[in-house]
């Protein structure tokens, strides 16, 4: 059975979804035991919207959000721009900040939305870690907190690895995190009890 990575829960950083049903969503989240708080996104010109998002099993960070045309956007420090705030993107931003701020991963060696090509088909890795020679070392796949981590998710990231041949694979939905180290010599992989610090990769 894969081991599950445990991190400190986020505190008071949770924002995301819709305005009209905010009270209903808060009540639903409390029943599930999720940590939530409300916030306002505003571009100070045309939009001001209330949002709600899941509390995650990841450390908090200084979230930067804006609203555009009634939709929430969150700042991605790797792409250096605001991107649409979806539940999956919420997980990605928390996880990237966790790697950089708590695990010592250099932001310069991380990339989001890495495009791969298989014949005429295009695939996208959620995040990839490179080494100093710009060789891929790790693939990270994110899912929304409501999406269970099942075999299909591991199959998806394994498909990416057929092209990149990395040393580590990570899958996270923000609540549960799995990391495995590849052993190509023996044709197997080992699930780790923790997300490794960058210094020990």
């Amino acid at each position: 059975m894969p081991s599950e990575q445990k991190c400190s829960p986020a505190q008071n950083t949770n924002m995301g979804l819709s305005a009209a049903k905010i009270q209903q969503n808060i009540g639903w989240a409390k029943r599930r035991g999720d940590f939530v708080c409300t916030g306002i996104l505003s571009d100070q010109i045309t939009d001001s919207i209330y949002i709600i998002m899941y509390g995650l099993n990841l450390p908090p960070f200084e979230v930067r959000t804006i609203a555009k045309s009634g939709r929430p956007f969150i700042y991605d420090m790797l792409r250096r721009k605001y991107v649409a705030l979806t539940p999956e993107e919420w997980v990605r931003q928390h996880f990237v900040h966790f790697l950089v701020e708590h695990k010592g991963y250099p932001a310069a060696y991380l990339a989001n939305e890495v495009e791969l090509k298989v014949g005429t088909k295009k695939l996208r890795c959620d995040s990839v870690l490179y080494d100093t020679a710009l060789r891929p070392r790790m693939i990270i796949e994110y899912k929304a907190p409501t999406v269970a981590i099942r075999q299909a998710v591991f199959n998806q990231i394994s498909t990416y690895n057929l092209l990149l041949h990395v040393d580590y694979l990570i899958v996270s939905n923000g609540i549960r995190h799995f990391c495995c180290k590849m052993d190509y010599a023996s044709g197997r992989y080992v699930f780790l009890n923790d997300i490794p610090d960058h210094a020990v990769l």
Side-chain angles (χ1 to χ4, degrees):
M1 185 71 180
S3 298
E4 183 179 337
Q5 164 69 10
K6 295 291 186 183
C7 310
S8 302
Q11 298 173 357
N12 301 324
T13 60
N14 307 308
M15 294 189 247
L17 297 179
S18 78
K21 295 186 176 180
I22 192 162
Q23 291 300 328
Q24 177 184 337
N25 286 341
I26 289 173
W28 178 80
K30 284 181 178 176
R31 286 194 300 275
R32 284 179 46 91
D34 298 321
F35 303 104
V36 298
C37 67
T38 58
I40 298 177
L41 294 176
S42 175
D43 63 8
Q44 299 179 342
I45 300 174
T46 59
D47 286 317
S48 216
I49 61 174
Y50 286 92
I51 53 171
I52 182 172
M53 196 58 90
Y54 281 89
L56 303 178
N57 183 26
L58 287 163
F61 70 98
E62 188 177 342
V63 179
R64 294 168 58 187
T65 55
I66 60 172
K68 297 180 183 178
S69 304
R71 296 176 56 213
F73 285 72
I74 188 169
Y75 187 76
D76 181 343
M77 71 172 179
L78 299 185
R79 287 175 279 184
R80 299 181 182 179
K81 65 178 182 179
Y82 284 92
V83 297
L85 175 54
T86 63
E88 184 177 309
E89 192 64 49
W90 181 246
V91 173
R92 188 205 320 253
Q93 295 307 317
H94 273 79
F95 206 93
V96 167
H97 278 267
F98 165 63
L99 292 178
V100 172
E101 296 166 13
H102 297 270
K103 291 291 184 175
Y105 286 60
Y109 297 151
L110 284 163
N112 286 337
E113 292 290 303
V114 176
E115 186 176 288
L116 305 175
K117 290 184 180 180
V118 182
T120 58
K121 188 176 181 180
K122 292 182 180 180
L123 305 173
R124 285 190 184 275
C125 292
D126 288 338
S127 295
V128 174
L129 171 73
Y130 297 89
D131 63 15
T132 54
L134 298 182
R135 292 175 300 221
R137 293 289 315 279
M138 177 185 288
I139 301 172
I140 311 164
E141 179 68 17
Y142 310 106
K143 296 299 177 185
T146 53
V147 177
I149 307 265
R150 302 188 187 280
Q151 185 59 47
V153 181
F154 290 101
N155 293 344
Q156 180 181 0
I157 198 171
S158 295
T159 299
Y160 302 153
N161 198 36
L162 290 174
L163 298 172
L164 296 184
H165 208 70
V166 300
D167 298 316
Y168 297 89
L169 301 177
I170 294 178
V171 175
S172 174
N173 65 1
I175 309 298
R176 306 181 71 192
H177 324 295
F178 298 96
C179 178
C180 65
K181 187 177 193 308
M182 307 302 296
D183 183 348
Y184 293 103
S186 64
R188 57 192 290 268
Y189 53 86
V190 178
F191 279 92
L192 307 179
N193 292 325
D194 197 0
I195 306 296
D197 290 345
H198 185 262
V200 302
L201 294 185

